[in-house]
Amino acid sequence: MGGPEWAVVVPVKRIGAAKTRLRGGIPGVPHDQLVLALAQDTVRGALGCPVVAEVLVVTDDPVAAAAVRRLGARVVPDRPDAGLNRAIEFGAAELARSGRGVAALTADLPALRPAELAAALRAAAAGRGFVPDAAGTGTTLLAAPVGVRLAPQFGPDSAARHAGSGARRLAGDWPSLRRDVDTAADLAVAAALGLGPHTAACWRASGVTVHGVDRTAGGFDGMQGTVSEFDPQTRAGSLLLDDGTPLRFGAAAFEASGLRLLRLGQRVQVERDQAGEVTRITIPTMRE
């Protein structure tokens, strides 16, 4: 293929009315700020995806619109103003003119990794498909290749409804793509995967521990990557972060990890100081 093959629509509700079950999810952080951060990190992840050419946000919220424009997304108002699926259909119709496949992504994926989104979209190239959420009942991604109608069925039990409408359930190891956030417990699991910078800033703003994840420990950074080099003699090496950035780490960061060895290709999460230096390496865990 000659270039990015997909365009992605992200519907964003008015921030004040969104994610009501998440209210108080981070004590001391205003609800509107947290919800906006989830949307920003979702859009950021989609924009970083190598097979995505364009991200279109459908929203009537002026604050959200301005924030995602700064990230590089295009914004259109929710002209139908008739719920989630109509907003997605409206955005999908706009994107279909590009001649690319169109996908819809929920706006609550703060740990989204571009590589996982790319893998799911490549899997959808063979036909309309969806990725279920972590619970297995909802949907985080619905994708349709060129010439195929998206036909969104988001809402309660959307996974079953998408399957019933003929969409294939896309199978893959994509924890950040499936980890939507509706509650504080969901947010803690997303934090264990590694939050994007906007949600991580909200997470750090409160010093208390929620659901066993300490926001203040070790200058939490949250980025994940893959070990690309490791010298057992010097105990130093390098990582390739999920956004494609190479990152060196020294012996002190490795020794702070408590690990005995790192393998090439191993998945790790990094903590960095204010200067961007790696201070600790950990093995990411998934807590459901």
Side-chain angles (χ1 to χ4, degrees):
M1 294 293 180
E5 305 160 40
W6 292 90
V8 174
V9 57
V10 181
V12 176
K13 291 175 64 174
R14 286 191 174 273
I15 298 300
K19 295 292 170 189
T20 55
R21 288 191 292 156
L22 191 58
R23 289 193 180 277
I26 300 182
V29 174
H31 181 71
D32 289 11
Q33 181 180 338
L34 176 56
V35 173
L36 177 61
L38 301 182
Q40 288 173 290
D41 284 330
T42 302
V43 169
R44 179 179 178 271
L47 286 166
C49 179
V51 300
V52 171
E54 180 179 13
V55 175
L56 178 70
V57 174
V58 180
T59 187
D60 280 335
D61 190 292
V63 174
V68 297
R69 277 196 190 98
R70 287 193 292 270
L71 294 173
R74 183 157 67 99
V75 180
V76 294
D78 182 6
R79 292 195 179 95
D81 192 21
L84 180 62
N85 289 310
R86 289 292 303 280
I88 291 171
E89 288 173 343
F90 177 69
E94 177 75 16
L95 289 174
R97 303 170 188 171
S98 70
R100 297 184 176 93
V102 175
L105 194 65
T106 58
D108 58 353
L109 303 170
L112 181 63
R113 297 293 177 256
E116 292 184 16
L117 177 58
L121 289 173
R122 289 185 181 111
R128 180 168 166 264
F130 71 96
V131 174
D133 63 9
T137 57
T139 302
T140 59
L141 175 75
L142 176 68
V146 178
V148 178
R149 184 168 171 260
L150 193 61
Q153 304 274 336
F154 287 86
D157 300 316
S158 63
R161 288 191 284 122
H162 282 133
S165 72
R168 294 178 301 118
R169 176 174 175 148
L170 303 175
D173 183 20
W174 306 317
S176 77
L177 178 56
R178 297 187 63 191
R179 182 67 277 165
D180 57 337
V181 171
D182 291 314
T183 67
D186 295 338
L187 183 59
V189 176
L193 290 172
L195 297 170
H198 300 92
T199 312
C202 293
W203 187 261
R204 288 192 298 264
S206 174
V208 297
T209 299
V210 174
H211 298 284
V213 181
D214 185 355
R215 298 179 182 81
T216 63
F220 175 78
D221 181 78
M223 287 297 291
Q224 290 190 19
T226 303
V227 177
S228 55
E229 293 178 60
F230 181 68
D231 185 337
Q233 300 300 317
T234 65
R235 302 167 76 83
S238 63
L239 314 168
L240 186 66
L241 297 180
D242 287 342
D243 64 3
T245 303
L247 185 66
R248 297 286 304 176
F249 63 88
F254 173 75
E255 289 164 3
S257 72
L259 302 172
R260 295 184 177 182
L261 185 69
L262 285 174
R263 303 186 309 274
L264 298 186
Q266 186 171 15
R267 296 283 298 163
V268 294
Q269 183 165 298
V270 298
E271 297 170 5
R272 294 184 288 189
D273 60 22
Q274 294 298 317
E277 295 294 323
V278 179
T279 58
R280 189 162 75 113
I281 299 168
T282 58
I283 304 300
T285 58
M286 181 80 171
R287 288 194 290 273
E288 295 286 1

